[in-house]
Amino acid sequence: MSVIGSAAHAQAATDPRDAEIQELKAEVQALAAKLDQLEARANTPPVIQTPASAPQAATPAAVSIVAGKPSIASTDGRFTANLHGVMNFDAADYSQASTGPVTTDFRRGAASTDTSHARDLSSGTDFRRARLGVDGQAFGDWDYNILYEFGGAGEEDAGHIYDLWLQYSGLKPFHARIGAFTPSYGLDDQGSTNGMLFLERSAASDIARGLAGGDSREAAEVWANGAWWYVNAAVTGRSVGVVNSQATGVSQPYDSQLGYIGRLGVLPVRTEKALVEIGVHGSYVDRPADTGGPDTAANASRYSITLQERPELRVDGTRLISTGGINARHADTVGFEAAGQYGGFFLQSEYETIKIERMNPAAGVSDPSFHGYYIDAAYSITGERRRFNNATWAFDGPAVNHPFSVQDGTWGAFEVAARYSDIDLNYHAGAAGAAATADAVRGGDQAIWSGGLNWYPNSFVRFMLDYQDVTIHRLSPSATTFSTPVGAEIGQHYHVVALRSQFAF
């Protein structure tokens, strides 16, 4: 080898750029290793820590869709969290007689302040329900539910607690629940709003269940069920406070209401094609809420109970029947329930009685009682059956056997429904044109014929078209307060068509 070649070779072997290249290669390899670690971490399921698990033994979780709900669950199934949401968007068109002057048009609402609204019910739209929440199981034996509501009647309310409860289910078949929820009162009360036949419950069942129970009631309940039977008992207090669309909140009582609820149901017939349910339920208000306090005047109402209701639709939130406040010592309800299903045919009915024991009534003033009922009938055009829920002991909507699909030529599930409901809040109402007696309650009698068509494109979406024929008979409780002649008829007759668009998961 020449001297020149040897020198060139030595210069190439000691070129400093080689070291720089090696450093760059090492950095690239290190970055590649970090990228591999990040990809591995992204593909690893999340972990949920439990009190029984040390950080070194964290339990991986699985994400899935369970019964249409996004769900996170530990691999052992002892902890689950299911997201759920509901939208009920209603639109309605009211057909009433033309509005006349208040001096000659005597249609009135539940209170004298409803005079204008009662004569001109609001056609339009309303988010009846707008709910978001999570439910599930915690460590096997504990169930929980957290649900917030943003919908309302007539106008949407501020967001508030709708359900917030904890339940222990480790002593089968018994379950113990505490928090804010809807205590089990009857079929209409416990039927899921995601699958009920009409836009609203019947007026009779809504008034009766709301006396000691109803939505968002703070309570403690024990219930148990089997394949053929159901029983529950609950102690109830106040309903969760709500700030409404007028920014008006519920005033704190001096003492909260104390009530009790019980229900018993059985299934004398349960076959593949047929099901029959019968039951009895009731409630007792041992202590009405003290809304007046110790400074209440002797002749004023301190423990007031008011029975009132809207006409089975909430696009307009005006109430048209009401007993007004009755100063009460106790109150109670008794109801009977029955339902039957054979193939695609469905029938359900409940009858309610309500009694109020007055607080220190004057001589000759008796305790009022009221009653109401409804009858629902439905037929599934596409053959699906409504599902009976053993946990709530009530009926939910039908399963959708063939979801709507343009490609497959399937249309989902269709059902038609009809209902007649009547609630009578009159007691010793007297004759038209006469003044009310001392113990009279002129709350009104409300009768509604309803027809409906329900379409379930799939288990997530539903559309409901309802028609109502509403008749209200009510005598003016006070000519002065309601600006009418003595004993004038302040009821009315009108029609309404309503449409609901719904998604629920």
Side-chain angles (χ1 to χ4, degrees), residues 108-387:
R108 300 292 187 266
S112 58
T113 53
D114 298 322
T115 296
S116 296
H117 280 292
R119 292 152 54 231
D120 186 14
L121 296 172
S122 175
S123 299
T125 57
D126 175 53
F127 278 103
R128 176 66 177 94
R129 295 177 180 89
R131 298 174 181 173
L132 294 171
V134 59
D135 63 39
Q137 290 183 324
F139 317 119
D141 294 333
W142 297 92
D143 305 296
Y144 67 92
N145 190 19
I146 304 168
L147 185 62
Y148 251 67
E149 171 70 274
F150 299 89
E155 295 287 340
E156 294 75 21
D157 294 331
H160 60 90
I161 294 170
Y162 183 81
D163 276 348
L164 183 59
W165 53 260
L166 178 69
Q167 176 175 283
Y168 181 70
S169 303
L171 298 175
K172 304 293 185 181
F174 293 95
H175 309 262
R177 180 181 299 182
I178 191 167
F181 55 94
T182 306
S184 182
Y185 182 80
L187 289 169
D188 223 11
D189 170 73
Q190 288 295 293
S192 171
T193 55
N194 296 337
M196 60 188 185
L197 284 172
F198 296 93
L199 270 65
E200 300 295 338
R201 298 179 178 89
S202 71
S205 61
D206 215 34
I207 290 176
R209 78 187 191 104
L211 189 66
D215 299 337
S216 309
R217 180 70 68 170
E218 296 177 359
E221 180 180 66
V222 176
W223 62 277
N225 68 333
W228 303 88
W229 59 275
Y230 174 94
V231 64
N232 90 290
V235 179
T236 67
R238 69 183 186 95
S239 295
V240 173
V242 176
V243 176
N244 63 23
S245 57
Q246 285 76 41
T248 302
V250 178
S251 300
Q252 177 181 340
Y254 290 86
D255 284 306
S256 294
Q257 176 177 291
L258 175 63
Y260 305 94
I261 289 177
R263 183 183 179 206
L264 174 65
V266 296
L267 297 178
V269 177
R270 188 170 193 174
T271 67
E272 185 177 345
K273 290 185 177 181
L275 186 146
V276 174
E277 191 276 346
I278 56 174
V280 61
H281 51 258
S283 65
Y284 180 72
V285 176
D286 182 61
R287 183 187 67 209
D290 180 358
T291 57
D295 298 330
T296 303
N299 60 344
S301 179
R302 180 173 176 178
Y303 302 94
S304 180
I305 290 179
T306 302
L307 306 179
Q308 56 187 5
E309 182 62 2
R310 302 174 179 91
E312 298 177 5
L313 186 62
R314 302 292 192 268
V315 173
D316 185 292
T318 307
R319 295 179 174 91
L320 298 176
I321 57 173
S322 175
T323 61
I326 300 174
N327 201 29
R329 184 184 304 276
H330 305 295
D332 65 82
T333 69
V334 176
F336 301 93
E337 60 189 67
Q341 182 169 240
Y342 184 81
F345 289 96
F346 177 77
L347 192 67
Q348 178 175 299
S349 181
E350 292 179 278
Y351 178 84
E352 305 287 350
T353 62
I354 306 171
K355 297 180 180 179
I356 297 178
E357 181 183 340
R358 296 181 189 267
M359 175 71 75
N360 302 323
V365 175
S366 56
D367 295 331
S369 61
F370 313 96
H371 67 275
Y373 67 96
Y374 73 91
I375 302 174
D376 285 349
Y379 175 70
S380 174
I381 300 173
T382 47
E384 291 86 353
R385 299 178 60 193
R386 300 186 69 81
R387 294 167 293 181

